[in-house]
Amino acid sequence: MTVRRRRRSRKWISWLVFLVLLISAGVVCYLVWDNYFNDGKTEGQENQEQVDDEQSKEDDNKRIDNNTVEGDDEVDDKKVIQYEGDDPNLSEELSGSVTYAGVLDDRIIVRVNIDQYLSEGDCELSLLSDGDVVYNESVNITNSASTATCEGFDVPVSSVGTGNYEIVIKMSSGEKSGVIKGEVGV
């Protein structure tokens, strides 16, 4: 007599593994979706950001320029906060520096940066050789994000010749004026 052994079905193990994988995939998809739409913020972080935003709005309201009329709902110009040093816009005279002075394609290129924010004015370039003015040119002042600059000077080398030149730029805007000095060799 042969005894037949009963074969146990192991299908339930494969179903169990499939179910565990399906649940794991669902949890991973939820976490990715939640992280994507919440930018990884937790509820505590969102509350802190709301408090920070409210504080920032209150600080902005306190910094409104004194020139605004009471009752204005909108303020177009916000005052820039000065973090270090003295505010150059309060200085009695204009200051700045030569940011580039060199020769390119038979032209002497001179670029300057003015430390103050100006909306208008004039810059007058003088190139001096041994104390004598060999070239003179005037351009307008243009404003930038928080400073100003002269429109730029492009002097043909044929107008001055070769040699070393002292750069003197006289700036004026309203009642303020100043001088920027530098050197260039051709």
Side-chain angles (χ1 to χ4, degrees), residues 31-42 45-46 49:
L31 292 175
V32 168
W33 177 81
D34 188 49
N35 193 25
Y36 177 77
F37 285 107
N38 289 334
D39 294 329
K41 298 175 191 165
T42 63
Q45 289 173 333
E46 290 175 3
E49 286 181 5

Side-chain angles (χ1 to χ4, degrees), residues 64-75:
I64 293 176
D65 195 356
N66 292 335
N67 294 333
T68 60
V69 178
E70 287 185 28
D72 279 352
D73 292 336
E74 294 182 26
V75 177

Side-chain angles (χ1 to χ4, degrees), residues 165-180:
Y165 297 98
E166 181 183 356
I167 300 169
V168 178
I169 300 172
K170 295 178 183 175
M171 307 167 293
S172 62
S173 177
E175 295 180 10
K176 295 183 179 183
S177 63
V179 176
I180 298 175

